Amino acid sequence: MLEQLLIFTRGGLILWTCKELGNALKGSPIDTLIRSCLLEERSGAASYNYDAPGAAYTLKWTFHNELGLVFVAVYQRILHLLYVDELLAMVKHEFSEIYDPKRMNYNDFDETFRQLRKEAEARAEELKKSKQVSKPVNDGKKQGQVKKGGFEGGNKKKGEANDGGDGDTGKSYKLENGHSNGNHVNIEGSRTGVSNGKENASSNVGAFDVSKLQKLKSKGGKKTNTVVSKGSKVDVDPKKKITKKNRVWDDSPRESKLDFTDPLENVNENIEVVATDHGESMMDKEEIISSDSEAEDEEVGKDSKPDTKKKGWFSSMFQSIAGKANLEKSDLEPALKALKDRLMTKNVAEEIAEKLCESVAASLEGKKLASFTRISSTVQAAMEEALVRILTPRRSIDILRDVHAAKEQRKPYVVVFVGVNGVGKSTNLAKVAYWLLQHNISVMMAACDTFRSGAVEQLRTHARRLQIPIFEKGYEKDPAIVAKEAIQEATRNGSDVVLVDTAGRMQDNEPLMRALSKLIYLNNPDLVLFVGEALVGNDAVDQLSKFNQKLADLSTSPSPRLIDGILLTKFDTIDDKVGAALSMVYISGAPVMFVGCGQSYTDLKKLNVKSIVKTLLK
């Protein structure tokens, strides 16, 4: 049974609800749908599942983009109602006929909806009955076909035509046993093709000549001068021997010294150097979008008039359309396919690119196209708006403000760094510590990577260079207990922030994921940062989704903590392949809070949303 059906505007104004249903929904499925699907550009999905204590709903929706209306149906997930899609389409059509932007009351639509629902339910019931009646008939037909092609075919003579049970009697196959799998093989020709050592080019091209093998044996294993390759013989002169040339790896002279590291006796001196004179962190600098790309676009625009090949990446695909009534899905598909390919070349995961294009298509379908406006430019503008909406954080996370708020409560602000192996958690933890030190915030490191050899020593080196305290208990200790004792120590010493370093772990390693879930549950950190590489594409989706899933499944809390933010490393190595940032934000809903762009402590900056969107669509 249908629980509820609502009609509201994109601005959030409810125009009509079904009073006949009148069921009180548990939880807030409509608000969750708007927040998690419609605002996050997931509106191209077929449905949305909502789970609440004591209730499990499925929500389906459709848009009327020209009028700016949203139609949402809610029903119990266990029911699997077949008529909801058809009902939404009929309600959309009928309501658009009577819709008036100045009108607020639509009580007269109740009777119309009642009739539409009865029609949809009756049609679904008839379809269900017709499927049940036709199912055994179809099975009987299939059995008859198998019997005819499989067993009755064996009674046919060798020279007769055999259709193999597929009804294709125009093909006359010579089979020995009367059975056919649909592929014709000339058995007799293949047998006679190499008989008596003679090649039969008409029946079996490319067969091996047995006489060559006999000659080879008689000559004591010497090579023959015939090379057989795919049915063609190539004569090779035995006097001309093919010699392999020596490969030259590098023409430049070799360096006499390849090791440019500091001498061993200066290592301790370098560790003790204070890092506060390295300069200002890039986090506090406002990034200005480079004008090189803009100038390049202007040059391309100037040169694109005489030569259509120099136009935008898919602007030349469509001509200007004047007076297009309504955009249909078929009109959008070529532009969306080109846009999807462009996003994938920028390292966006294929699944994410496809969902984004579906969402953009859902938001544009049915809209009127202005005169002399290309579909390609309309699609690109809609995609740009969608990308900005996705990459912009849903909630503001200001670490400096939150640190001062925790300081007033006389407790440290705890940040846990998690991620897979080798992404640079310890190095970027030190960068964050350096940025906090520049804002006169006292920091303490907690060495909770008790699994990897050398992890404590690596963090200790960063602590010495930055001259900040570090809490460590060595290896093979419980990281959750180490983090708890570190927070207690920071409370006694008056440290403002505790940065917790954890072991790198793959998303499928359940023992390590269980230990991470225990650390987060026991210490309840203020911020859980996922450290990921900007180099990954499709793997970013798998990493983040499984990290969140494992943290939710393995936690003993009814409301488990998930990933709060993302730190993207190695951003300076990817050129314009910035799609991993979009994939990670889309799959987790967490914002990219830090971007690592170098090897020094100052190389940490904020993510410039406009720059990323411009790069993705360039």
Side-chain angles (χ1 to χ4, degrees), residues 445-505:
M445 294 181 180
C448 295
D449 185 355
T450 61
F451 183 77
R452 177 175 64 90
S453 300
V456 177
E457 287 79 5
Q458 180 185 6
L459 203 65
R460 189 187 302 154
T461 302
H462 288 301
R464 287 177 182 173
R465 291 179 64 98
L466 297 172
Q467 293 187 345
I468 60 177
I470 178 174
F471 186 88
E472 56 176 283
K473 286 289 185 179
Y475 297 98
E476 298 184 359
K477 301 292 191 303
D478 189 349
I481 303 300
V482 176
K484 185 176 182 180
E485 294 178 358
I487 296 172
Q488 293 173 353
E489 182 68 19
T491 305
R492 288 192 295 267
N493 296 340
S495 297
D496 299 330
V497 177
V498 178
L499 302 180
V500 180
D501 184 30
T502 62
R505 65 206 77 210

Side-chain angles (χ1 to χ4, degrees), residues 279-287 400 434-439 602 604-606:
E280 184 182 0
S281 176
M282 297 176 68
M283 281 289 296
D284 301 320
K285 297 179 181 178
E286 290 294 332
E287 183 181 1
L400 298 178
Y434 178 77
W435 170 64
L436 293 172
L437 288 174
Q438 289 194 320
H439 290 271
T602 60
L604 189 74
K605 62 181 182 180
K606 299 177 182 177

